[in-house]
Amino acid sequence: MSFNRNFNVSHDAVVVKPERGTMHQSFSPRSHGSKGYSLPQDSEENRGSVGQSAGQSSTSVVDQVRSPADDAGVTSSSTICPAPVCRQFWKAGNYNDELSSKSQQPNGKNYLHVHPMFLHSNATSHKWAFGAVAELLDNAVDEIQNGATFVIVDKTTNPRDGTTALLIQDDGGGMDPQAMRHCMGFGFSDKKSDSAIGRYGNGFKTSTMRLGADVIVFSRHSKNQTLTQSIGLLSYTYLTRTGHDRIVVPILDYEFKASAGEFKTLQDREHFISSLSILLEWSPFSTEAELLQQFDDVGPHGTKVIIYNMWLNSDAKLELDFDSVAEDILIEGSIKKSGSKIVNDHIASRFSYSLRVYLSILYLRIPETFKIILRGKVVEHHNVADDLMHPQYILYKPQAARSEEAVVVTTIGFLKEAPKVNLHGFCVYHKNRLIMPFWQVISYSSSPGRGVVGVLEANFVEPTHNKQDFEKTVLLQKLENRLKEMTVEYWSCHCVLIGYQVNKKPRLQIPKNVQPAGRQALSPPPGFQAVFPQGNSTSLPRFSAKPVLLEKRKEHPDSVASAASKRKVGNDGFTVPGQNRVEQFIHGSASQSQDIETVKLIEKNKKLRAKCLDHKVRSQNLEVKAMNLRSELENVKSEYERLMVELQALDLVKGEHRRNVNT
C-alpha cells in the first residue's frame, strides 16, 4: 500500500463512543510485539475500488482502499470513488461523495452526522499558520494547573515515507478515554476555570486541520490510582479516499492492570479490531507495537500530537519551513525585508514569520516552572513593555462593562529604537494570551504616533474562535477609541523627548502679496470686494469697509488669552500701534502658565499611574505564586499516586511470594 501525503482530516462526535466490553487481550507497555490479531477479511460491501485521479499531483493514489467493519454502524459500506486530493490547504476543500451510498443506522433512527467537508471549512478560520500552532500550545498552557512543566514543538518524521511532520508534546494531566472523545469531537469543553484560555471546544480540530491533513494523538492519564492511555486518529485523507459521508474517528483505549502488570484493552474485540485496522492503514505506524512505542517518552501522564501530511504553499513547498533555521520554524515565503536593518530585525517585524519570536510574546506571564521548547531550545519569554522608554501607565475602565475584569492598566511608551523605527501599535492580551499583536488603532500618515507602542490585558472583550481578533462589539469600539486617544495624548506630551516637535496651529499671518507702500498694489482675495483702490497705498483715503461674517472662534479656556484674542481697533479701523507686541506678550504669558499647569498635572498623573502599576504587579506576583503552588501540589499528588500503585504491586508480589513459600 502506498502511503499518501495529501489528507484532510475529519471526525464525528457521535461515532467515537465505543462501549466498554470484556477485555479479551492484554498489552504490556514494555513488550510491544504483535498480538496476532487477524484483521477482518475484505468483503464485497467492505471493499471499494479507487481509480487513478485525473491530473495526478505530487501525491500518489492508492489502487484499493479497505474499509473495515462499521464502527457502531457509522462507516459507509459501498462502492466509492476517491475525492480529488490537493496538497494546498486553500484548494483542498473539494469533496465528492455522490457515488457513495448514504449509510443508515441499523435501527432506523435519525442521527445528526457531521460531513467531512466541515473539517476543512472549519479550519479556514485560521488564516495564519502560527495562529493554529498557538491554539495547540494553549491546551498545554492550560495544563499548567494539572502539573505541566513543558511543551515541546519540534520537527519529526513520518516513518512510512520519511516526510516531515510536526510534533507537539506536553507532560500535563493527559486525557482519559472520555476526554479523548471530547477532544476529537465538536463542541465539548471541560475547561471551566476562569483562567483557562480554551472555551469553545473547537480549537484542536481547527488548528490541526489547518496545519496538516491528518493528526494522530497519544495521551496517558492517571487519576484515582487508574492509569489509562488512548490513541485517536483524525484523518481527512482516510475520509476523502474512502468517500465517507460523515466523520469517523478510530480510537483505541487501554487501562493498566496492576495485578497483571500490563495494559489491557477497554473495548470489545469488534470495536477494537475495527479501530485498529483503520489506524494501521492510515496512520504513520503500520503495527500496533509501533503505536504503543509512542508512549515510551510520555511518562505517567501527558499528551503527544503528531500532525502529518502537512500542507504546501502555492510554490509546492511546505508552509512551515523547518530547514532555514535549525532552532526555529518559519513561514515559507513570508520574510519581506524593506527599509533599514533595525526595522527588519525588530520583534514587531519578525513575529509574523518566526515562530520563536511569536511564542516569546504569546503569553503575558509564564511561570518559571513551565518551559516552551522549540526545536530543542527553550523559548525566552519576552515582555514588550520592557522595550519601552518614557513609559506611562494609564487606567481605563469602560462604563459599559460592569465587572472587575473591565479595569485595564495600559503600559504605553516609545520603543527604545525610536525615532529610527516606524513601528507602532498595541499588543492586546486576553486572559494572558496575545490576541492582537501590534494593533494599529491609528492610520499613521504623518509623524504623530510613530514609535508609540502599548501593552494591555483586556479580559472584558471576547476573542474570536481563531484567537486572532476580538468580537466586534460596542466594548471593543470603545476600547479602540480610547487607545486612539491615548496615542495622541502620549505623543503630544512626550514626542519632544525623542526629537520630534509638536505640530501647533499656525498663527494668522499677512499674505505674501502684501508689500510695503509704493512697491505693489493690493488685490482683494477671491470673493471679496476691493478694500483698497488700485494705486499707491500712500494715498489711501479713509473709508468704511462692509462687515464680513467670520466663523465663530472656540472659546479659549484661559481668560487672559481670551481677552487678548479680542482685537483693539481705533476709530479709523486700523489696529492700535504696538498692539502686536502686546498680544504676543499676553499670549506668551498665558502659554507659559498653561505649560506649568500641564507639567504639574503630568507629574500628578505619573504618581497615580505608578501606584496603579505597583498594585497590578503585586497582584500578578501573587497569581504566579498561587499557580506555582498549585503546580507543586499536583506534582506531589502525582508522585503519591505513583507510589501507591507501586505499593499495591509490591503487596501483590509479597502475597504471591508468601503463597509460594507456604506451598
Side-chain angles (χ1 to χ4, degrees):
M1 184 198 71
S2 137
F3 186 71
N4 301 293
R5 298 178 54 188
N6 288 342
F7 318 132
N8 287 339
V9 188
S10 35
H11 51 280
D12 195 334
V14 297
V15 290
V16 288
K17 193 67 177 177
E19 299 176 358
R20 294 179 180 240
T22 306
M23 291 171 287
H24 300 285
Q25 180 68 26
S26 61
F27 299 86
S28 172
R30 297 178 178 82
S31 63
H32 303 297
S34 174
K35 301 302 173 185
Y37 280 125
S38 60
L39 298 179
Q41 297 296 321
D42 289 345
S43 61
E44 291 300 325
E45 56 266 54
N46 286 337
R47 181 181 295 116
S49 61
V50 179
Q52 292 295 106
S53 61
Q56 189 170 350
S57 64
S58 60
T59 27
S60 58
V61 179
V62 291
D63 295 329
Q64 195 171 21
V65 178
R66 285 198 304 269
S67 180
D70 289 355
D71 188 335
V74 178
T75 60
S76 301
S77 301
S78 62
T79 302
I80 50 93
C81 289
V85 176
C86 177
R87 291 304 308 274
Q88 299 179 27
F89 173 76
W90 297 107
K91 297 181 180 179
N94 295 330
Y95 193 96
N96 185 4
D97 61 355
E98 293 178 356
L99 299 180
S100 64
S101 63
K102 309 301 180 183
S103 63
Q104 297 180 351
Q105 296 291 341
N107 55 11
K109 293 183 180 180
N110 294 326
Y111 287 86
L112 176 64
H113 301 303
V114 181
H115 195 277
M117 287 182 62
F118 180 69
L119 282 176
H120 182 269
S121 60
N122 191 40
T124 57
S125 61
H126 285 291
K127 309 300 180 185
W128 188 37
F130 284 173
V133 177
E135 281 273 13
L136 297 174
L137 262 68
D138 290 342
N139 294 332
V141 172
D142 284 338
E143 285 296 305
I144 292 177
Q145 60 182 348
N146 295 325
T149 61
F150 68 84
V151 58
I152 296 173
V153 182
D154 208 343
K155 171 186 176 181
T156 188
T157 302
N158 185 333
R160 282 190 189 262
D161 56 10
T163 56
T164 298
L166 179 65
L167 168 69
I168 298 179
Q169 180 176 342
D170 65 72
D171 64 339
M175 294 179 285
D176 60 17
Q178 182 181 10
M180 174 69 84
R181 281 155 179 77
H182 287 177
C183 172
M184 308 295 267
F186 290 91
F188 297 98
S189 179
D190 298 328
K191 300 175 181 180
K192 307 300 182 182
S193 172
D194 293 336
S195 61
I197 302 171
R199 175 179 179 182
Y200 300 105
N202 195 39
F204 177 81
K205 278 73 66 176
T206 60
S207 57
T208 54
M209 294 297 98
R210 173 61 185 86
L211 297 171
D214 306 281
V215 59
I216 187 169
V217 183
F218 303 86
S219 190
R220 181 174 284 171
H221 178 75
S222 176
K223 186 176 181 180
N224 298 330
Q225 301 181 13
T226 300
L227 180 63
T228 61
Q229 62 186 28
S230 299
I231 306 171
L233 175 69
L234 186 58
S235 174
Y236 190 61
T237 303
Y238 160 62
L239 297 171
T240 55
R241 290 302 182 91
T242 55
H244 280 76
D245 61 353
R246 66 203 65 188
I247 298 174
V248 179
V249 181
I251 295 181
L252 303 178
D253 297 317
Y254 303 85
E255 182 177 349
F256 183 75
K257 296 299 182 181
S259 58
E262 57 186 4
F263 282 94
K264 291 187 176 181
T265 62
L266 290 176
Q267 294 133 310
D268 57 45
R269 186 176 184 276
E270 179 182 358
H271 283 86
F272 179 82
I273 294 297
S274 174
S275 297
L276 179 61
S277 62
I278 299 174
L279 279 162
L280 297 185
E281 186 165 3
W282 297 98
S283 79
F285 309 101
S286 56
T287 66
E288 186 189 5
E290 292 180 4
L291 288 171
L292 295 177
Q293 284 175 359
Q294 298 304 309
F295 288 101
D296 289 349
D297 61 347
V298 172
H301 49 77
T303 300
K304 176 190 290 187
V305 177
I306 299 176
I307 303 171
Y308 57 104
N309 293 324
M310 303 183 69
W311 299 115
L312 307 180
N313 60 18
S314 58
D315 296 329
K317 298 180 180 179
L318 285 177
E319 274 190 304
L320 297 182
D321 178 8
F322 296 86
D323 300 326
S324 296
V325 180
E327 297 178 345
D328 200 356
I329 299 176
L330 308 181
I331 293 183
E332 171 66 30
S334 295
I335 304 177
K336 298 178 181 179
K337 295 187 176 182
S338 59
S340 62
K341 185 178 185 300
I342 189 173
V343 174
N344 294 330
D345 293 344
H346 197 275
I347 188 173
S349 301
R350 295 171 56 212
F351 81 90
S352 61
Y353 63 82
S354 169
L355 184 59
R356 179 169 293 277
V357 174
Y358 178 56
L359 296 184
S360 69
I361 62 174
L362 182 59
Y363 301 104
L364 189 59
R365 300 172 298 273
I366 285 289
E368 295 182 358
T369 56
F370 186 83
K371 303 297 181 184
I372 300 176
I373 305 173
L374 175 62
R375 304 295 304 273
K377 182 179 179 181
V378 175
V379 175
E380 298 294 335
H381 179 255
H382 185 88
N383 192 337
V384 177
D386 295 337
D387 296 338
L388 305 181
M389 60 179 175
H390 310 301
Q392 294 289 306
Y393 309 96
I394 302 176
L395 183 66
Y396 168 60
K397 185 175 183 180
Q399 296 179 356
R402 303 180 181 276
S403 66
E404 294 182 357
E405 291 184 348
V407 179
V408 177
V409 176
T410 301
T411 304
I412 187 172
F414 282 111
L415 289 174
K416 294 178 180 178
E417 297 82 1
K420 297 179 181 179
V421 296
N422 186 20
L423 300 170
H424 37 258
F426 289 84
C427 292
V428 187
Y429 291 78
H430 177 81
K431 292 185 177 179
N432 194 44
R433 160 72 141 81
L434 180 62
I435 303 299
M436 299 181 69
F438 298 96
W439 179 25
Q440 298 182 11
V441 297
I442 291 182
S443 177
Y444 297 91
S445 58
S446 58
S447 59
R450 290 185 57 178
V452 177
V453 170
V455 180
L456 64 148
E457 185 175 18
N459 294 334
F460 61 93
V461 286
E462 291 296 332
T464 56
H465 284 260
N466 62 3
K467 296 187 180 70
Q468 297 301 308
D469 199 353
F470 287 104
E471 299 288 351
K472 306 304 181 183
T473 61
V474 175
L475 283 176
L476 180 64
Q477 185 61 50
K478 289 186 175 182
L479 175 62
E480 184 177 1
N481 293 336
R482 183 66 187 102
L483 295 180
K484 290 179 181 178
E485 294 175 358
M486 288 182 191
T487 304
V488 174
E489 292 171 358
Y490 181 85
W491 172 270
S492 300
C493 295
H494 299 83
C495 65
V496 294
L497 299 176
I498 62 171
Y500 288 109
Q501 293 182 353
V502 180
N503 292 331
K504 296 182 178 179
K505 293 183 179 180
R507 293 183 179 180
L508 184 62
Q509 298 179 354
I510 300 176
K512 293 182 179 179
N513 61 346
V514 177
Q515 298 293 337
R519 294 186 181 180
Q520 182 181 356
L522 301 179
S523 59
F528 289 83
Q529 296 182 2
V531 175
F532 304 110
Q534 299 295 332
N536 197 319
S537 61
T538 57
S539 59
L540 289 177
R542 294 181 179 271
F543 66 93
S544 297
K546 292 183 179 180
V548 179
L549 182 62
L550 300 177
E551 184 179 358
K552 185 178 180 181
R553 294 185 179 182
K554 295 181 180 179
E555 295 184 358
H556 198 283
D558 188 272
S559 59
V560 178
S562 177
S565 65
K566 299 178 181 179
R567 300 178 60 85
K568 296 182 180 180
V569 183
N571 295 330
D572 57 356
F574 292 98
T575 305
V576 176
Q579 179 63 26
N580 288 338
R581 292 191 297 271
V582 174
E583 288 185 1
Q584 292 176 2
F585 174 77
I586 294 175
H587 279 291
S589 301
S591 177
Q592 184 177 5
S593 62
Q594 192 175 13
D595 290 342
I596 295 175
E597 184 66 22
T598 301
V599 171
K600 291 182 179 179
L601 290 175
I602 291 176
E603 292 299 327
K604 186 176 181 180
N605 195 16
K606 284 183 179 179
K607 293 179 181 180
L608 292 175
R609 290 168 181 170
K611 289 183 180 179
C612 291
L613 178 64
D614 183 59
H615 289 298
K616 187 76 173 179
V617 171
R618 290 182 182 180
S619 176
Q620 293 175 355
N621 291 337
L622 291 175
E623 290 179 1
V624 172
K625 289 181 180 179
M627 188 177 298
N628 291 336
L629 290 174
R630 285 194 295 268
S631 176
E632 292 178 3
L633 181 60
E634 290 298 328
N635 291 336
V636 172
K637 288 182 178 179
S638 300
E639 182 65 17
Y640 173 77
E641 293 176 357
R642 186 186 66 80
L643 293 175
M644 289 300 297
V645 171
E646 292 183 358
L647 180 60
Q648 292 178 356
L650 289 174
D651 290 341
L652 291 174
V653 172
K654 290 180 180 179
E656 185 67 24
H657 179 70
R658 292 192 187 97
R659 286 192 294 270
N660 293 336
V661 171
N662 294 333
T663 56

